[in-house]
Coordinates of all heavy atoms in Angstrom, one line a residue:
R300 N 87.8 94.0 89.1 CA 87.7 92.5 89.0 C 88.5 92.0 87.9 O 88.6 92.6 86.9 CB 86.3 91.9 89.0 CG 85.6 91.9 90.4 CD 84.3 91.2 90.5 NE 83.8 90.9 91.8 CZ 83.1 91.7 92.5 NH1 82.8 92.9 92.0 NH2 82.9 91.4 93.7
C301 N 89.0 90.8 88.1 CA 90.0 90.2 87.0 C 89.4 88.8 86.5 O 88.9 88.1 87.3 CB 91.2 90.0 87.8 SG 92.6 89.5 86.7
Q302 N 89.7 88.7 85.3 CA 89.3 87.3 84.7 C 90.5 86.6 84.0 O 91.6 87.3 83.8 CB 88.3 87.6 83.5 CG 87.0 88.2 83.9 CD 87.0 89.7 84.1 OE1 87.7 90.3 83.3 NE2 86.4 90.1 85.1
G303 N 90.4 85.3 83.9 CA 91.5 84.6 83.3 C 91.9 83.3 84.1 O 91.0 82.9 84.9
S304 N 93.1 82.8 84.0 CA 93.4 81.5 84.7 C 94.8 81.5 85.1 O 95.6 82.2 84.5 CB 93.1 80.4 83.7 OG 93.9 80.5 82.5
V305 N 95.1 80.6 86.0 CA 96.5 80.5 86.4 C 96.7 78.9 86.6 O 95.9 78.2 87.1 CB 96.7 81.1 87.9 CG1 98.2 80.6 88.3 CG2 96.7 82.6 87.8
Q306 N 97.8 78.5 86.0 CA 98.3 77.0 86.1 C 99.7 77.0 86.6 O 100.5 77.6 86.0 CB 98.1 76.4 84.7 CG 98.7 74.9 84.7 CD 98.5 74.3 83.2 OE1 97.6 74.6 82.5 NE2 99.6 73.7 82.9
S307 N 99.8 76.3 87.7 CA 101.1 76.1 88.3 C 101.3 75.0 89.2 O 100.3 74.3 89.3 CB 101.5 77.5 89.0 OG 100.7 77.6 90.2
A308 N 102.4 74.9 89.9 CA 102.6 73.9 90.8 C 101.7 74.0 92.1 O 101.5 73.2 92.8 CB 104.0 73.8 91.3
L309 N 101.1 75.3 92.3 CA 100.2 75.5 93.4 C 98.7 75.1 93.0 O 97.9 75.0 93.9 CB 100.2 77.1 93.7 CG 101.6 77.6 94.1 CD1 101.4 79.2 94.2 CD2 102.1 77.0 95.2
G310 N 98.6 74.8 91.8 CA 97.2 74.4 91.3 C 96.7 75.1 90.2 O 97.4 75.9 89.5
R311 N 95.4 74.7 89.7 CA 94.8 75.5 88.7 C 93.6 76.4 89.2 O 92.9 76.0 90.1 CB 94.1 74.5 87.6 CG 95.2 73.7 87.0 CD 94.4 72.6 86.0 NE 95.3 71.8 85.4 CZ 95.7 71.9 84.0 NH1 95.2 73.0 83.4 NH2 96.5 71.1 83.5
F312 N 93.7 77.6 88.8 CA 92.8 78.6 89.3 C 92.0 79.3 88.1 O 92.7 79.9 87.2 CB 93.5 79.7 90.1 CG 94.3 79.1 91.3 CD1 95.4 78.6 91.2 CD2 93.6 78.9 92.6 CE1 96.3 78.0 92.4 CE2 94.2 78.4 93.7 CZ 95.5 78.0 93.5
D313 N 90.7 79.4 88.3 CA 89.9 80.4 87.5 C 89.8 81.6 88.2 O 89.1 81.6 89.2 CB 88.5 79.6 87.2 CG 87.6 80.5 86.3 OD1 87.5 81.8 86.4 OD2 87.1 80.0 85.3
L314 N 90.3 82.7 87.7 CA 90.4 84.0 88.4 C 89.0 84.6 88.7 O 88.7 85.1 89.7 CB 91.2 85.0 87.8 CG 92.7 84.6 87.5 CD1 93.5 85.6 86.8 CD2 93.4 84.4 89.0
A315 N 88.1 84.5 87.8 CA 86.7 84.8 87.9 C 86.0 84.1 89.1 O 85.2 84.7 89.9 CB 86.0 85.0 86.7
A316 N 86.3 82.7 89.1 CA 85.5 82.0 90.0 C 86.1 82.0 91.4 O 85.3 81.9 92.3 CB 85.8 80.4 89.6

Side-chain angles (χ1 to χ4, degrees):
R300 281 196 163 85
C301 185
Q302 298 79 40
S304 63
V305 174
Q306 173 184 320
S307 73
L309 301 178
R311 295 174 180 266
F312 300 87
D313 180 311
L314 296 176

